[in-house]
Each structure stands twice: as structure tokens, then as C-alpha cells.
Amino acid sequence: MKGDAAPVGEGAAPEVVALAKAVARLRSEVVDLEGIAGITAVVERAKGVLMAQSGVSADAAYELLLERAGRRDRTVLEESWITLGQVRSPPSPGTARISLPTAEATGAGDDAKNEPGISVLSPRPRPTARRDRGTTRREILARLADGLAAVHGGDDIAELLVSVVGAAVDADAVMIYAVAPAGSLDLTGSAGIDEALAEQWRHVPPLSGVAAHAAIAGRRALWLEDPEQDARRYLLIGDPPERWLARAWVPVPGGGGPPRAAIGFLRTRPGPFDADTRALLRQATRLCAGPLGTPARARGIDAEGPRGADDTATVQLIMDAMAGPAILLTPLRSEDGEVDDYRIDAAAPESVDVAGRRGKELVGRRILETYPTVAGTALWDGYLKTLITGAGYEGEPFTYEEVVAGVPRQSVYSVRASRLGDHLVVSWIRHDTSRRETRRLADMQRLGNLGWADWNLVTDTVSWSEQVYAIFDRDPSRGPMLLEELPRHVVPEDLPRLRDAIHRLLSEGEAVDQPFRITTALGVRHLRIVAEVQVDADGTPIEVQGFFQDLTAQHGVELALHEAERAFLRQQGMLQAERALAASLQDTLLPIPEQSLELAGLRIDVAYVPADSGINVGGDWYSAIELPDTSALFVVGDVAGHGLAAVGTMAQLRFTTKGMTVTGSSLPGVLRRLNTLLLHTGSEESGSATATMVMARYQPWDRRLIWVRAGHLPPLLIRGARAQFLEQPQGTLLGATFEASYEQAVIDLLPGDHLLLYTDGLVEEPGEDIGVGLDRLAATALRLLREERGETLSRTLVTLCAANRDDICVLDIHVPDVDGRDADVPDAVVPDVDVPDAETE
């Protein structure tokens, strides 16, 4: 029977009887609420059908139900069932399942007939697949209205929104926030987010910069579609916040009053919410207004009467101005007049219970429901005795324990109670608070390595905290030292400054913040004193208060940083000096002409640019000379590494190459000797140097070019509208192995040809395939020749590099036209770029 208490044996303890009555009452209320929820589900579903069919608001749909019911002499429940029966097919016999609207009722096609139903037998609606874009907004709202009739709580609503509406608008998550009594927000429902994130954002204080707050306060939807801009205005939910690239916060209509909730639709897909999507989300939110309505008990309205009665409202006004914890208890009596429980009807702002609930968060709560272990205690008996006799109650301190989030919490209280009419005014003292604060203060002093000190100049007494004894390495049994004792421990060099600071403190009242050093058995310590003086009515100092802080560890770190900075500056100076020397050597050994050269009937354009970053000079180099037989020698090389060593190797290779070529050595023979030279000149510490090189000899009498390579990138030949990398002969990196072999290749140059020799800095980009850089070089060179910029081709190519991460050296060998002018370059076509595999470092 509704309202019956659980069976309790005769002679049961009073506290057991009281708890049994509380359980019975709660059970009765659950039954009542279930009945109301069943009726509400039918009405809300009918409202949703009317909203989807007529495109009206939730309030208008309810008014329409009332009007139809009155016109046909029916109840609202009867009219709701008839409305639902007109839009759905008959259920299967013996089944209490309610299906979604059929295709005939909604006007949908065959796809709608195959949509799964949502059953009121299931506590949560089943997720649906992403909808076909042909599904209409009306059909989506009809499905949502049908599903809302079967939900139980905010999480169910959120999951339904994700599965039905989210599928239509690509929303991946939904969060529902309701306004709490203190103006903060509570997460009442979520779907699509993990438990850790939901717990982190379970309670949002009334802060500015929260989108849900702003949507509720402004009574308008917020469409956050640019994460970078939105993060500057709002505190974005997520870990990381960039998880959802678009968010919509839509306030839930408050039934004539201000909104009391907001629904957030979060999606990972970037981009704005279009007009149709915004309209759908607004209508879906209006549909949820009914199911999101808060029951009377959650709003602080109890079955026995509202909180806002005149007497309790007056007491609340008084308590709002009170200091310290205090509450007003109203007895809740059974039919025979016995007190079954008490309800908190007013609370002072500083009232805090063991779970951290504060002030008006306590209002509306029942004692036995919230603090069940109070039943049968001396406190419970004291409340009853005060209520009956009017005599004040003041109990002994007792320990109360409550399990919050699975963690037991204990506090020690002393409680006082006084009768006020048919109510009790209860106040208390929480004894463990001072102990906890003391412990926290001690922990803070220990972690910060500081402690407080107090000098009473009237009584000539001193008080120290425990940490000060540790700072001064002083036995606590000796007590604190007086002010006149302090100079004995100060390093002599610091004593004058400390005395001046204390003198200003006592004579002028100027606060002190002074570093100084003391000597202890453990060595010198670096301390800091911060103090201020208290004076009497005549301005005479009576007390000095302050703290000492041990900065020894910090000072050690500062010294280490200072030494590291000095070492860095020394190293930087050495490196800069080395760079200056290397740059000077490079300028001397490798002069770069300011204009094109004429050599063996060829026009040579040279460009060299050092790297943008770093302080070392690289080992890129070139050589262009005329040989005794009127032929010309062209060399481009790249020595591995930077600095003086690289410049020295570069000079060695450059001069040795010239000498051996001038004496008539063949090009492959020159490379073999250079390879042997590098292998034999390396030091034991650094090993032998390595280098790449491409070398060519041009014979003007037959325009024949003989060339060799040692691990270098292939030359680029540009002939007319075609750019092609030359097929490479065999040639290993210089300085790599004694077994290296080198072969030569031959090509005949034609008037108008351009042949580019270059180092890898011209084409390499971090993380990019070398083939991409080679293709880019070929296309750029063709474009520059088409723009008639061939005379400065090398220098122009270098200036087009976005960032010189490595040295760049380019040599453009150009064969003039037969009449002394450059041949016309026809309109460029897509270059035919042939890039064979290059043997590089």
C-alpha cells in the first residue's frame, strides 16, 4: 500500500523507526512521481506531434491541446491519446511499444518506413544512423517528440538529441546545463563525452566568459564557429578545446520566465551552422523544455509547503545578514503529530556542512535524508526536547562522518538549538576547521621554506613558528632569539644594511624587505626578512610582525645560471671570432664577382649566399678558370660541416683541383687523388673530411663539355623550352672510401644553352623529397629565361629561396648565340624534367 512503512519489528530502536518512516515516505513519493511522469510523457509527446505538424512553440501546442479538449468535452490526457492515435499505426497485439510516425503519417518515403522505433520499454532510445539529407525537419522533430516521451533524466535526453538531431546536423556531443540556486550551472545531462570530462565540467561557477551562462543570460542562442576567435571570449569546454570545432548553445525556453537551462550541441566538423540547422536546433530545444522541467522537490518546494512562506522568508532575510553558520529547521510531522524529520527552510551564507554544501544549497534538504546517521543520537533527542520544552540545547562536541564521492569525510561539531515558534534555529561550531587551517599553514611554511615571527616590544617577548627554528638551525628548546641577538649571526658585510632597515622600521614605520646572510653550523645561508610594525595611538611601536624565508637553494640556482650565462657568452664570443676569421678567409679565398664573367667564349654568372641561421661559415665553393690550352674549368663543391675546418678543407680542395688540372691530369684522375688526399689528412679525433663535387672542362673549339661528379647533384641543362638533368656518371663521395671509382661523361653544348652547377642548399627543404626541389628548380629556371632574366640567372635563383637554411652556391654556364646575342626562348611549356637518382651525402 502506498505510504506504508517497511516492516519494523516490535521494540525497534527509535532511530530505526524514524529511518523506516523516511524510507517509506520517499518510496511513496517515487510512486506518485512515476504516475505523474507517465501522464506527463503522453502530454509532452502529443505536444511534440503538434509542434512538428503545425510548426508552433511548445506553449502554443499545449494551448491547442487545451482548446481541443474543452471544445470536445474531454480531459487533456484523453485529447493527447487521441492526437497520438491519429498519427501512428496500431501497435502489435500484446506489446506496449510506441513506434515512430509511419511514412504515411509523415509524408516520408520508403526510407522512413524502415526507421527503427523507440520503445517506452527501453530506458534509453536506440541510436539511429546518420540520416539521409532528404529527411525533413518535420520528420526529425516528430522522432524527437516521440523519443522524449520515453526518456528518464538529462542523460537520456542528451543521448536522444545526439542520435536523432545530432545525426541531422553532424553534432557529435550534447551537454545540458541547468541554473543552480546560487547562479552557477550544473551539468544535468550529457552524451558523446567521456566521464572524466563530464566530471570536470559537472559544476560551473557563475563566471563570465562561459558560453552556456551567456546564452541563458542573454536569452539568445550562441553560435561558436571559429575556435580561435571564440577562445578569446569564452572558456571552451574540452580536453583539448580544439576537439570540437563548432559549438551551438541554445537556451531552453522558461515558460514565460527567463531561461533556466541551455543545451550545447558540439561537433568536430568545422564550419558554420546554416539557417536550416539553426532553426532545427531551436525547435528541438523548445521540444525539450517540458522534459527538462524540474520537479517541485528539486526546486526547493516540498510536499509540506513552499519555502517562500512569510515566516521562513523573514528568517532568511535575517540570516542573510548573519555571520557564522545557522539554519532554520521546520519539523515534519506524521498524521499522529510525531516528528518524523526536519526540513532546512533558511540558512546563513556561512553555513557549510561536511560535504561542502554552503548557504542556500542547504535549503529544502531534509535532515534524515541528507544526514541519516543523526537519527537516534543525542543531537536528534536534543532537537525534539527543545521543540517540546522550549529549553535551549547545547550539545557536547561529536564526530560526524559522511561518504562523499566514495571518500569518508569526518568533522567535529558542537551544536546549539533554540526554538522559534514551531521551528528550530540551529547554529554550530566546526572544531576541526582550525586544526586543518593550522596544518595547511605549517605545510605552506615548510614547502615555501619560510616561517613567521612576532616581536612584542612592550612585553619584550618573541614568538616563532616551527619553520623559523629550522631556518636558523636553532634548537626549539632554546626558544626564539631576541632582536638584539640577531646581529651576532649575521655576516658582517650585511649587518649595516640590516641595521638601517630595522632602524627605518622602528623609527619611521617603513616596512622591511631585506635580504641578508647568516652563519650556521651547516654553513652560510641566504635569508630574507619581510616585516611591518604596529603602533599605538601615540605612534609608538608596540609590535613587529613578519616572516623569514630561506633563499639559499634559490641563490645556488641563481649562481649556477649566472655561471652558465658567462660560459655561454664566452663560447658565443669564441664562435663569433671564429666566424669572423672564417668569413675573412672565405672572402680572400673565394671572391664573388659582382657581374658575369667572360671565359672561353662563355658567359658565367656566379652567386653565393651563406646560411641565414647559425654563426659558422659553410664549405660551399666554386672555381671558374681558363686552362693553358684555352679550355675552361668549372667546379662547384660542398664540404661537409661548418667553421674553420670546413673553410680549410674548401681551400685545400680548390687549390689542389686547380693545380692538378693545370698540369694536365684527367678529370677522373683529379677526383681519385682528391679522395685519397681527404682520407689521409683527417685527424684521429674528427676523422677524415668529406665533400661532394661536380667538375667540368669546356673545349671552345668544338663546344664539347667533359664532366665528372663525386656524390653531387646532377647539372641542369636548359635548351630552348626544355629543362633536363644530365644523366650522371659513376662517382662516390670524396673522403668516404679508398675503393671509390669515378667516370666521366660528355655533352656538346649549343648556342643559347644554359648549364647550372649548384649545391644542395638551392633545392633542399626539410621534410621534402629531393625530387620535388629539383622539379621546382627546373620550372623556375625556365620561367626566368622566358622573362628574359638570363643574364643574372644564378643570382635571381638564390634570391628566390625563402630561407637559406644552408649555404647556396650556383654557377650558370651560358653559351651565347652565334651572333653574340642570346637566342630567343620560345613560350614555355610544361618542362620535361628527367631526374635520375642522385648519389648524395
Side-chain angles (χ1 to χ4, degrees), residues 30-69:
V30 168
V31 173
D32 291 339
L33 289 174
E34 287 178 347
I36 294 173
I39 297 173
T40 303
V42 176
V43 175
E44 291 296 328
R45 193 164 12 147
K47 284 169 55 179
V49 170
L50 292 179
M51 290 172 67
Q53 291 178 344
S54 306
V56 298
S57 65
D59 293 339
Y62 186 68
E63 292 296 331
L64 184 57
L65 279 176
L66 289 177
E67 187 272 331
R68 288 182 180 180

Short mmCIF file of all heavy atoms in Angstrom, two decimals, residues 30-69:
data_model
loop_
_atom_site.label_atom_id
_atom_site.label_comp_id
_atom_site.label_asym_id
_atom_site.label_seq_id
_atom_site.Cartn_x
_atom_site.Cartn_y
_atom_site.Cartn_z
N VAL A 30 8.13 8.46 -4.79
CA VAL A 30 8.58 7.90 -6.06
C VAL A 30 7.40 7.36 -6.86
O VAL A 30 7.28 7.56 -8.07
CB VAL A 30 9.63 6.80 -5.81
CG1 VAL A 30 9.90 6.01 -7.09
CG2 VAL A 30 10.92 7.41 -5.29
N VAL A 31 6.47 6.67 -6.16
CA VAL A 31 5.29 6.13 -6.83
C VAL A 31 4.46 7.28 -7.42
O VAL A 31 3.99 7.22 -8.56
CB VAL A 31 4.45 5.28 -5.86
CG1 VAL A 31 3.15 4.86 -6.51
CG2 VAL A 31 5.24 4.05 -5.43
N ASP A 32 4.26 8.34 -6.62
CA ASP A 32 3.50 9.48 -7.12
C ASP A 32 4.17 10.11 -8.34
O ASP A 32 3.52 10.45 -9.33
CB ASP A 32 3.34 10.52 -6.01
CG ASP A 32 2.42 10.02 -4.89
OD1 ASP A 32 1.64 9.09 -5.15
OD2 ASP A 32 2.51 10.55 -3.77
N LEU A 33 5.50 10.28 -8.24
CA LEU A 33 6.20 10.89 -9.35
C LEU A 33 6.17 10.03 -10.60
O LEU A 33 6.11 10.54 -11.73
CB LEU A 33 7.66 11.17 -8.95
CG LEU A 33 7.87 12.29 -7.93
CD1 LEU A 33 9.33 12.36 -7.52
CD2 LEU A 33 7.43 13.62 -8.50
N GLU A 34 6.21 8.71 -10.43
CA GLU A 34 6.12 7.82 -11.59
C GLU A 34 4.77 7.97 -12.28
O GLU A 34 4.67 7.96 -13.51
CB GLU A 34 6.34 6.37 -11.15
CG GLU A 34 7.79 6.06 -10.80
CD GLU A 34 7.97 4.63 -10.34
OE1 GLU A 34 6.93 3.97 -10.07
OE2 GLU A 34 9.12 4.17 -10.24
N GLY A 35 3.71 8.10 -11.47
CA GLY A 35 2.39 8.29 -12.07
C GLY A 35 2.32 9.60 -12.81
O GLY A 35 1.79 9.67 -13.94
N ILE A 36 2.84 10.66 -12.19
CA ILE A 36 2.83 11.96 -12.85
C ILE A 36 3.68 11.92 -14.12
O ILE A 36 3.31 12.48 -15.15
CB ILE A 36 3.35 13.04 -11.89
CG1 ILE A 36 2.38 13.20 -10.71
CG2 ILE A 36 3.54 14.38 -12.60
CD1 ILE A 36 2.89 14.11 -9.62
N ALA A 37 4.83 11.23 -14.04
CA ALA A 37 5.71 11.15 -15.21
C ALA A 37 5.03 10.43 -16.36
O ALA A 37 5.21 10.79 -17.53
CB ALA A 37 7.01 10.44 -14.83
N GLY A 38 4.23 9.38 -16.04
CA GLY A 38 3.52 8.67 -17.10
C GLY A 38 2.53 9.56 -17.82
O GLY A 38 2.43 9.55 -19.05
N ILE A 39 1.78 10.35 -17.04
CA ILE A 39 0.83 11.27 -17.65
C ILE A 39 1.56 12.36 -18.44
O ILE A 39 1.19 12.69 -19.56
CB ILE A 39 -0.08 11.90 -16.56
CG1 ILE A 39 -0.91 10.81 -15.89
CG2 ILE A 39 -0.97 12.98 -17.16
CD1 ILE A 39 -1.71 11.31 -14.69
N THR A 40 2.62 12.89 -17.84
CA THR A 40 3.38 13.95 -18.49
C THR A 40 3.99 13.47 -19.80
O THR A 40 4.04 14.22 -20.79
CB THR A 40 4.50 14.45 -17.56
OG1 THR A 40 3.92 14.88 -16.33
CG2 THR A 40 5.27 15.61 -18.19
N ALA A 41 4.43 12.22 -19.85
CA ALA A 41 5.04 11.69 -21.07
C ALA A 41 4.05 11.72 -22.22
O ALA A 41 4.39 12.09 -23.35
CB ALA A 41 5.54 10.26 -20.82
N VAL A 42 2.80 11.32 -21.95
CA VAL A 42 1.78 11.30 -23.01
C VAL A 42 1.50 12.72 -23.50
O VAL A 42 1.43 13.00 -24.70
CB VAL A 42 0.50 10.63 -22.50
CG1 VAL A 42 -0.59 10.70 -23.56
CG2 VAL A 42 0.77 9.18 -22.14
N VAL A 43 1.33 13.66 -22.54
CA VAL A 43 1.03 15.04 -22.91
C VAL A 43 2.19 15.65 -23.70
O VAL A 43 1.98 16.31 -24.72
CB VAL A 43 0.70 15.87 -21.66
CG1 VAL A 43 0.49 17.33 -22.03
CG2 VAL A 43 -0.54 15.32 -20.96
N GLU A 44 3.42 15.43 -23.22
CA GLU A 44 4.57 16.01 -23.90
C GLU A 44 4.72 15.44 -25.31
O GLU A 44 5.09 16.15 -26.24
CB GLU A 44 5.85 15.76 -23.10
CG GLU A 44 5.93 16.53 -21.78
CD GLU A 44 5.95 18.02 -22.01
OE1 GLU A 44 6.50 18.44 -23.05
OE2 GLU A 44 5.41 18.75 -21.17
N ARG A 45 4.45 14.14 -25.47
CA ARG A 45 4.54 13.54 -26.79
C ARG A 45 3.51 14.13 -27.73
O ARG A 45 3.77 14.41 -28.90
CB ARG A 45 4.37 12.03 -26.67
CG ARG A 45 4.76 11.28 -27.93
CD ARG A 45 4.94 9.83 -27.63
NE ARG A 45 4.41 9.57 -26.30
CZ ARG A 45 3.82 8.41 -25.95
NH1 ARG A 45 3.74 7.47 -26.78
NH2 ARG A 45 3.34 8.24 -24.75
N ALA A 46 2.30 14.34 -27.23
CA ALA A 46 1.26 14.95 -28.05
C ALA A 46 1.64 16.39 -28.42
O ALA A 46 1.41 16.84 -29.55
CB ALA A 46 -0.06 14.93 -27.30
N LYS A 47 2.22 17.12 -27.47
CA LYS A 47 2.67 18.47 -27.78
C LYS A 47 3.73 18.44 -28.89
O LYS A 47 3.71 19.26 -29.81
CB LYS A 47 3.26 19.12 -26.53
CG LYS A 47 2.23 19.59 -25.53
CD LYS A 47 2.88 19.97 -24.20
CE LYS A 47 3.95 21.00 -24.37
NZ LYS A 47 4.55 21.37 -23.06
N GLY A 48 4.66 17.48 -28.81
CA GLY A 48 5.69 17.38 -29.83
C GLY A 48 5.11 17.10 -31.20
O GLY A 48 5.58 17.64 -32.21
N VAL A 49 4.08 16.25 -31.26
CA VAL A 49 3.45 15.96 -32.55
C VAL A 49 2.84 17.22 -33.13
O VAL A 49 2.99 17.53 -34.32
CB VAL A 49 2.40 14.85 -32.38
CG1 VAL A 49 1.57 14.70 -33.64
CG2 VAL A 49 3.08 13.53 -32.05
N LEU A 50 2.13 17.98 -32.30
CA LEU A 50 1.51 19.22 -32.78
C LEU A 50 2.58 20.23 -33.20
O LEU A 50 2.39 20.96 -34.19
CB LEU A 50 0.62 19.81 -31.69
CG LEU A 50 -0.66 18.99 -31.36
CD1 LEU A 50 -1.45 19.66 -30.25
CD2 LEU A 50 -1.54 18.85 -32.60
N MET A 51 3.68 20.31 -32.45
CA MET A 51 4.75 21.23 -32.83
C MET A 51 5.34 20.86 -34.18
O MET A 51 5.61 21.73 -35.02
CB MET A 51 5.84 21.23 -31.77
CG MET A 51 5.43 21.86 -30.45
SD MET A 51 6.69 21.61 -29.16
CE MET A 51 8.03 22.60 -29.83
N ALA A 52 5.55 19.56 -34.40
CA ALA A 52 6.12 19.12 -35.67
C ALA A 52 5.15 19.32 -36.82
O ALA A 52 5.55 19.68 -37.93
CB ALA A 52 6.53 17.65 -35.58
N GLN A 53 3.84 19.10 -36.58
CA GLN A 53 2.85 19.23 -37.64
C GLN A 53 2.53 20.68 -37.97
O GLN A 53 2.40 21.05 -39.14
CB GLN A 53 1.56 18.50 -37.23
CG GLN A 53 1.68 16.98 -37.18
CD GLN A 53 0.39 16.32 -36.73
OE1 GLN A 53 -0.50 16.98 -36.18
NE2 GLN A 53 0.30 15.03 -36.97
N SER A 54 2.42 21.52 -36.92
CA SER A 54 1.97 22.90 -37.13
C SER A 54 3.08 23.91 -37.09
O SER A 54 2.86 25.09 -37.40
CB SER A 54 0.91 23.25 -36.05
OG SER A 54 -0.13 22.29 -36.05
N GLY A 55 4.29 23.51 -36.66
CA GLY A 55 5.39 24.45 -36.57
C GLY A 55 5.21 25.50 -35.51
O GLY A 55 5.70 26.63 -35.65
N VAL A 56 4.51 25.16 -34.41
CA VAL A 56 4.26 26.12 -33.34
C VAL A 56 5.19 25.82 -32.17
O VAL A 56 5.86 24.78 -32.14
CB VAL A 56 2.78 26.06 -32.88
CG1 VAL A 56 1.85 26.45 -34.01
CG2 VAL A 56 2.43 24.66 -32.38
N SER A 57 5.21 26.72 -31.18
CA SER A 57 6.03 26.52 -30.00
C SER A 57 5.38 25.52 -29.06
O SER A 57 4.21 25.13 -29.23
CB SER A 57 6.24 27.85 -29.27
OG SER A 57 5.00 28.32 -28.77
N ALA A 58 6.15 25.13 -28.00
CA ALA A 58 5.63 24.18 -27.02
C ALA A 58 4.42 24.76 -26.29
O ALA A 58 3.41 24.06 -26.06
CB ALA A 58 6.72 23.78 -26.04
N ASP A 59 4.48 26.04 -25.90
CA ASP A 59 3.35 26.66 -25.20
C ASP A 59 2.12 26.71 -26.09
O ASP A 59 0.99 26.44 -25.65
CB ASP A 59 3.75 28.07 -24.74
CG ASP A 59 4.82 28.03 -23.68
OD1 ASP A 59 4.97 26.98 -23.02
OD2 ASP A 59 5.51 29.05 -23.51
N ALA A 60 2.33 27.07 -27.38
CA ALA A 60 1.19 27.13 -28.29
C ALA A 60 0.58 25.75 -28.51
O ALA A 60 -0.64 25.60 -28.63
CB ALA A 60 1.62 27.76 -29.62
N ALA A 61 1.46 24.71 -28.57
CA ALA A 61 0.94 23.36 -28.75
C ALA A 61 0.09 22.94 -27.55
O ALA A 61 -0.95 22.29 -27.71
CB ALA A 61 2.10 22.38 -28.96
N TYR A 62 0.54 23.31 -26.33
CA TYR A 62 -0.25 22.96 -25.14
C TYR A 62 -1.59 23.70 -25.14
O TYR A 62 -2.63 23.13 -24.79
CB TYR A 62 0.55 23.28 -23.90
CG TYR A 62 -0.13 22.83 -22.61
CD1 TYR A 62 -0.27 21.47 -22.33
CD2 TYR A 62 -0.64 23.75 -21.72
CE1 TYR A 62 -0.89 21.05 -21.17
CE2 TYR A 62 -1.26 23.34 -20.55
CZ TYR A 62 -1.40 21.99 -20.28
OH TYR A 62 -2.02 21.58 -19.13
N GLU A 63 -1.57 24.97 -25.52
CA GLU A 63 -2.83 25.72 -25.60
C GLU A 63 -3.78 25.10 -26.60
O GLU A 63 -5.00 25.06 -26.41
CB GLU A 63 -2.54 27.18 -25.97
CG GLU A 63 -1.80 27.97 -24.91
CD GLU A 63 -2.63 28.11 -23.64
OE1 GLU A 63 -3.88 28.13 -23.73
OE2 GLU A 63 -2.02 28.20 -22.55
N LEU A 64 -3.22 24.60 -27.71
CA LEU A 64 -4.06 23.95 -28.71
C LEU A 64 -4.69 22.68 -28.15
O LEU A 64 -5.87 22.38 -28.42
CB LEU A 64 -3.22 23.63 -29.96
CG LEU A 64 -3.96 23.03 -31.16
CD1 LEU A 64 -5.09 23.94 -31.61
CD2 LEU A 64 -2.98 22.78 -32.31
N LEU A 65 -3.92 21.90 -27.36
CA LEU A 65 -4.49 20.72 -26.72
C LEU A 65 -5.61 21.10 -25.77
O LEU A 65 -6.68 20.45 -25.74
CB LEU A 65 -3.40 19.97 -25.96
CG LEU A 65 -2.48 19.04 -26.76
CD1 LEU A 65 -1.41 18.47 -25.84
CD2 LEU A 65 -3.27 17.91 -27.40
N LEU A 66 -5.41 22.16 -24.96
CA LEU A 66 -6.45 22.61 -24.04
C LEU A 66 -7.71 23.04 -24.79
O LEU A 66 -8.84 22.73 -24.39
CB LEU A 66 -5.92 23.76 -23.19
CG LEU A 66 -4.86 23.42 -22.13
CD1 LEU A 66 -4.40 24.70 -21.43
CD2 LEU A 66 -5.42 22.44 -21.10
N GLU A 67 -7.51 23.76 -25.90
CA GLU A 67 -8.66 24.26 -26.66
C GLU A 67 -9.45 23.11 -27.26
O GLU A 67 -10.69 23.06 -27.21
CB GLU A 67 -8.15 25.21 -27.75
CG GLU A 67 -9.24 25.95 -28.51
CD GLU A 67 -9.72 25.14 -29.72
OE1 GLU A 67 -8.90 24.38 -30.26
OE2 GLU A 67 -10.91 25.27 -30.09
N ARG A 68 -8.75 22.10 -27.81
CA ARG A 68 -9.44 20.95 -28.39
C ARG A 68 -10.17 20.14 -27.32
O ARG A 68 -11.30 19.70 -27.52
CB ARG A 68 -8.43 20.06 -29.12
CG ARG A 68 -7.89 20.65 -30.41
CD ARG A 68 -6.92 19.66 -31.07
NE ARG A 68 -6.38 20.18 -32.31
CZ ARG A 68 -5.50 19.52 -33.08
NH1 ARG A 68 -5.09 18.31 -32.70
NH2 ARG A 68 -5.06 20.05 -34.20
N ALA A 69 -9.48 19.96 -26.17
CA ALA A 69 -10.11 19.19 -25.10
C ALA A 69 -11.37 19.88 -24.60
O ALA A 69 -12.41 19.24 -24.35
CB ALA A 69 -9.12 18.98 -23.95
#
